[in-house]
Amino acid sequence: MKGIFLDYTGTITQEGGPDVAALLGRLCAGSNCKDMKWLLNEWWRLVKLYENQSYKEDYMTEDEIVDLILHKWEDEIELKENLKELHGLCQKYWMYAPVYSDALEFFERCPLPIYVVTNNGSKYVEVCMEQNGLHPAGIICGDMVRAYKPHRELFEEALRVSGFMPKEVVHIGDSVASDVEGARAAGIRPVFLNRSKAEVSEGIESVGSLLEALELIL
């Protein structure tokens, strides 16, 4: 094992925080939908839907996807808000979301180079890394190949940037559909980060924390 590929959202950073709370509060206050849980679930559903549809000539950046969702909700839930400010909250979340404590310790203890492989734009991830004193060997994002996980192009770009062969790295992430299946498609060993202790299908290697992953791969 020569290197680690590590997912970003849900693996290094939490899927929540003050900026997400502020966004949900303003969405509720400024629309006819008052169910924050529905809004959050629908937001992530649409993000994944549009990411899956974004490929090569049809590629949309994460910023473009956010705009698409907000404009969609202007009609569907009669959203009447400052869309630029709402978009800004999303950008703040990408940069300043709370970081998992085990992610901080993982970076400190891991003797191998860590490459962040993410759907988010590198300029946002770079801010997070700097704010938290984290020093990845590289950041590989969807914009580089105009494709998101689980498309194998993103993982293949990480191999190209790192200079490693598939058998020399492991990819760790919190999504079976995006991280596990995407890594497998590129011939990379996937490790599923299963913090919620959800039931895992047979054949999927999983860990409950990044520190457990550290013990597994070293």
Side-chain angles (χ1 to χ4, degrees):
M1 192 67 60
K2 294 185 178 180
I4 308 295
F5 291 172
L6 195 63
D7 176 51
Y8 182 60
T9 303
T11 298
I12 297 175
T13 62
Q14 300 177 31
E15 293 182 329
D19 296 310
V20 172
L23 174 63
L24 291 173
R26 289 182 61 168
L27 288 171
C28 279
S31 74
N32 63 16
C33 179
K34 308 305 178 184
D35 186 341
M36 283 194 182
K37 184 176 180 180
W38 182 90
L39 284 168
L40 182 61
N41 290 337
E42 183 66 4
W43 180 277
W44 285 115
R45 186 190 73 81
L46 289 171
V47 167
K48 293 304 178 184
L49 173 67
Y50 293 138
E51 285 179 347
N52 289 338
Q53 294 175 355
S54 297
Y55 186 70
K56 299 304 182 182
E57 64 272 10
D58 296 320
Y59 182 78
M60 294 183 288
T61 67
E62 294 289 277
D63 282 296
E64 290 171 332
I65 288 174
V66 165
D67 284 336
L68 186 59
I69 294 172
L70 292 175
H71 286 299
K72 176 183 178 68
W73 280 358
E74 280 188 308
D75 294 329
E76 293 189 355
I77 61 173
E78 298 181 7
L79 178 62
K80 294 177 175 60
E81 250 285 2
N82 185 316
L83 301 192
K84 184 176 181 180
E85 291 182 2
L86 296 184
H87 191 144
L89 287 171
C90 292
Q91 293 172 326
K92 287 181 64 180
Y93 164 67
W94 294 332
M95 294 183 286
Y96 304 116
V99 174
Y100 284 106
S101 60
D102 64 342
L104 296 172
E105 190 171 350
F106 184 87
F107 270 85
E108 290 174 358
R109 291 177 51 190
C110 185
L112 302 176
I114 299 171
Y115 292 82
V116 178
V117 183
T118 176
N119 287 348
N120 289 107
S122 59
K123 64 182 179 181
Y124 301 116
V125 181
E126 287 169 1
V127 172
C128 175
M129 298 294 104
E130 182 178 352
Q131 289 287 318
N132 291 281
L134 304 179
H135 305 285
I139 299 170
I140 297 88
C141 67
D143 294 351
M144 294 178 176
V145 292
R146 298 183 64 80
Y148 293 120
K149 299 175 184 179
H151 290 293
R152 62 185 295 168
E153 285 91 342
L154 186 51
F155 298 91
E156 290 172 342
E157 179 68 5
L159 291 171
R160 187 194 68 79
V161 170
S162 67
F164 296 137
M165 300 293 291
K167 65 181 180 180
E168 295 175 329
V169 296
V170 62
H171 178 77
I172 306 169
D174 70 308
S175 169
V176 172
S178 295
D179 295 304
V180 173
E181 298 304 329
R184 277 180 176 169
I188 297 168
R189 173 188 173 189
V191 173
F192 172 47
L193 180 57
N194 185 17
R195 286 198 174 94
S196 66
K197 310 297 183 182
E199 186 175 349
V200 180
S201 300
E202 186 176 351
I204 294 179
E205 188 174 18
S206 67
V207 293
S209 72
L210 285 174
L211 299 185
E212 187 180 335
L214 195 61
E215 296 171 1
L216 181 70
I217 61 183
L218 298 181

